[in-house]
Amino acid sequence: MIVIVGGGIIGLSVGWYLACRGERTVVYDRAEAGRAATWASAGMLAPNLEAEPGEEKLLPLLLESRRMWEDFARTLEETSSITVNYRREGTLLIALTWDDVERLRFQLGFQKSLGLDVELIDGEKVLEMEPNINRNVMAALYSRSDHQVDNRRVVQALKVAYLRSGGVLKEWVTVNRIVIEGGEVSGVFTENGFERAEYVVLAAGAWVRELDGIPEMLRPPVRPVKGQMISLKTNPGNILVRHVIWGPMRNWGPVYIVPRLDGRLILGTTVEEMGFDTSVTAGGLMNILRGCWEILPSIVDLPVDEVWAGLRPGSRDDAPILGPTPVKGLIMATGHYRNGILLAPITAEAITRYILSGELPEIAKPFTIERFVKCQ
């Protein structure tokens, strides 16, 4: 038996891959599966334009997972009979001032040095692609390879695909303690009693440190990082934007607009170190709206559909924690920070391969818990 603690996109993807290979798996979630960080995200698959100095070691993992995403989405749709709205229009990062243009040029140079498929286009071309955005746009970086998916439809599809593949899902059941005996996992204690397991996969996101029973030296350094979001309603027949659009950096941070096929515009986000607080604040919404209005002035006339806040699971180095630990059978799949949606396929593949063969894929080896244990 394989127990997976956490039923977000990571836990469900791992469970689905294992169930498809005939493994007996049970996914536990403390609430409704997929309703935490996965539900709160924007579904962007954008390693090119989001590449930043200091994250060079993470980039190969991000790029490989993006390569896997189209097949992942297609198989998921075939198995679940639910469309996940994988979209290929690409992503824009716009500039509205000369200072913005200079920042784009610096970013372009960095991303080109990494071999990424990003191009600088002028304002006229940007307006051809997105005629409704701010007419003062001067330039943009464009990545045709940075796509998006409807994350909420993905998690709904994953639940169906996982169950159809023979997995067991136990929602609204809290795992109280990981049980370790003689240096290896023997199972978990839940509010319903003891569940014996040969492997326990920790995929509890921002809550993973709250699990009892993990040896202190192996407790993953993962913290919640709050992000607020807004959804606006538009007429699906009157398309305002087609691409994912990032605005220029301002004092209040980066913002973006993600169009959905059902007419919603997803606006984000904030980056806040506020513990487990998920309140929506006036200041957070004001900064998002101010930044997105600068991109698309017509949002002032759109009705608000929903506001929410989620908790990204950020590790100490903002990279995921994947694979085995010194405790036999205890496996990490957490700390994905802002890349949980993007990294779902490669995480599921890596964890599944390790459980079935005892070998972690080479591309995932830099991301085990060992990098933190060595520092303690």
Side-chain angles (χ1 to χ4, degrees):
M1 173 64 77
I2 301 165
V3 168
I4 300 169
V5 185
I9 190 171
I10 298 299
L12 287 172
S13 295
V14 172
W16 178 41
Y17 271 43
L18 287 165
C20 285
R21 288 157 177 80
E23 297 297 315
R24 293 175 59 231
T25 63
V26 55
V27 172
Y28 283 97
D29 198 282
R30 61 203 290 271
E32 183 179 350
R35 287 281 182 159
T38 303
W39 198 259
S41 70
M44 292 180 290
L45 311 172
N48 285 3
L49 284 184
E50 292 191 46
E52 298 177 352
E55 296 186 351
E56 291 87 347
K57 291 182 179 179
L58 177 59
L59 187 61
L61 193 74
L62 300 174
L63 293 175
E64 177 61 15
S65 200
R66 186 187 61 189
R67 185 195 65 78
M68 298 170 67
W69 243 103
E70 289 200 53
D71 285 342
F72 181 83
R74 181 172 57 254
T75 306
L76 184 56
E77 289 179 336
E78 291 171 353
T79 307
S80 67
S81 305
I82 296 173
T83 59
V84 299
N85 295 342
Y86 185 95
R87 298 182 61 175
R88 304 169 179 81
E89 291 90 343
T91 300
L92 292 162
L93 169 56
I94 67 169
L96 297 170
T97 68
W98 284 114
D99 285 344
D100 296 338
V101 174
E102 287 304 307
R103 280 190 286 268
L104 288 194
R105 292 186 187 280
F106 172 82
Q107 189 165 338
L108 177 68
F110 171 71
Q111 291 166 349
K112 284 290 189 182
S113 75
L114 300 174
L116 299 177
D117 180 21
V118 176
E119 60 179 308
L120 182 66
I121 58 178
D122 63 26
E124 183 177 352
K125 176 62 175 177
V126 178
L127 288 172
E128 287 179 12
M129 297 169 68
E130 292 291 357
N132 295 314
I133 67 170
N134 190 325
R135 306 298 296 178
N136 295 320
V137 62
M138 300 182 70
L141 292 184
Y142 174 52
S143 172
R144 67 185 70 250
S145 303
D146 283 350
H147 299 160
Q148 65 144 307
V149 70
D150 189 326
N151 47 288
R152 295 185 176 183
R153 295 186 69 86
V154 168
V155 78
Q156 291 167 341
L158 273 171
K159 289 170 72 171
V160 173
Y162 171 62
L163 293 171
R164 286 183 177 177
S165 300
V168 176
L169 176 60
K170 296 187 178 182
E171 299 174 291
W172 301 100
V173 178
T174 300
V175 172
N176 295 319
R177 183 159 57 93
I178 312 301
V179 182
I180 298 171
E181 299 174 328
E184 62 182 274
V185 158
S186 61
V188 298
F189 267 112
T190 76
E191 58 193 71
N192 296 332
F194 180 70
E195 177 93 63
R196 184 166 296 280
E198 182 181 1
Y199 295 96
V200 173
V201 180
L202 303 183
W207 290 267
V208 70
R209 282 185 64 84
E210 307 298 301
L211 292 169
D212 287 337
I214 303 172
E216 192 59 36
M217 68 177 296
L218 299 180
R219 195 169 292 279
V222 174
R223 73 201 188 281
V225 183
K226 178 179 171 182
Q228 299 185 49
M229 304 278 282
I230 305 170
S231 173
L232 304 179
K233 293 180 181 178
T234 74
N235 182 345
N238 182 24
I239 298 173
L240 288 179
V241 294
R242 295 180 180 275
H243 301 78
V244 174
I245 305 177
W246 283 82
M249 179 61 74
R250 296 290 183 258
N251 291 337
W252 52 83
V255 296
Y256 53 73
I257 299 174
V258 182
R260 294 288 195 239
L261 292 178
D262 62 6
R264 289 178 300 139
L265 292 181
I266 310 300
L267 313 183
T269 184
T270 62
V271 179
E272 305 171 67
E273 301 280 354
M274 297 293 292
F276 288 95
D277 170 40
T278 55
S279 60
V280 175
T281 65
L285 298 183
M286 179 180 70
N287 288 338
I288 295 168
L289 288 170
R290 177 167 52 181
C292 291
W293 169 82
E294 192 177 33
I295 302 170
L296 186 66
S298 61
I299 66 170
V300 296
D301 297 319
L302 299 178
V304 174
D305 175 50
E306 184 184 359
V307 296
W308 66 93
L311 300 174
R312 312 171 185 91
S315 72
R316 190 181 300 159
D317 59 4
D318 293 336
I321 306 172
L322 305 175
T325 71
V327 174
K328 184 180 178 182
L330 183 65
I331 298 172
M332 301 283 180
T334 188
H336 292 75
Y337 192 38
R338 66 180 189 270
N339 293 307
I341 307 299
L342 173 59
L343 288 174
I346 193 70
T347 299
E349 177 62 29
I351 301 304
T352 298
R353 190 184 305 181
Y354 175 76
I355 289 174
L356 296 183
S357 71
E359 284 292 323
L360 195 66
E362 198 66 32
I363 198 170
K365 287 182 179 178
F367 303 103
T368 68
I369 190 70
E370 290 288 341
R371 71 188 192 272
F372 299 118
V373 174
K374 291 175 182 177
C375 296
Q376 295 180 3

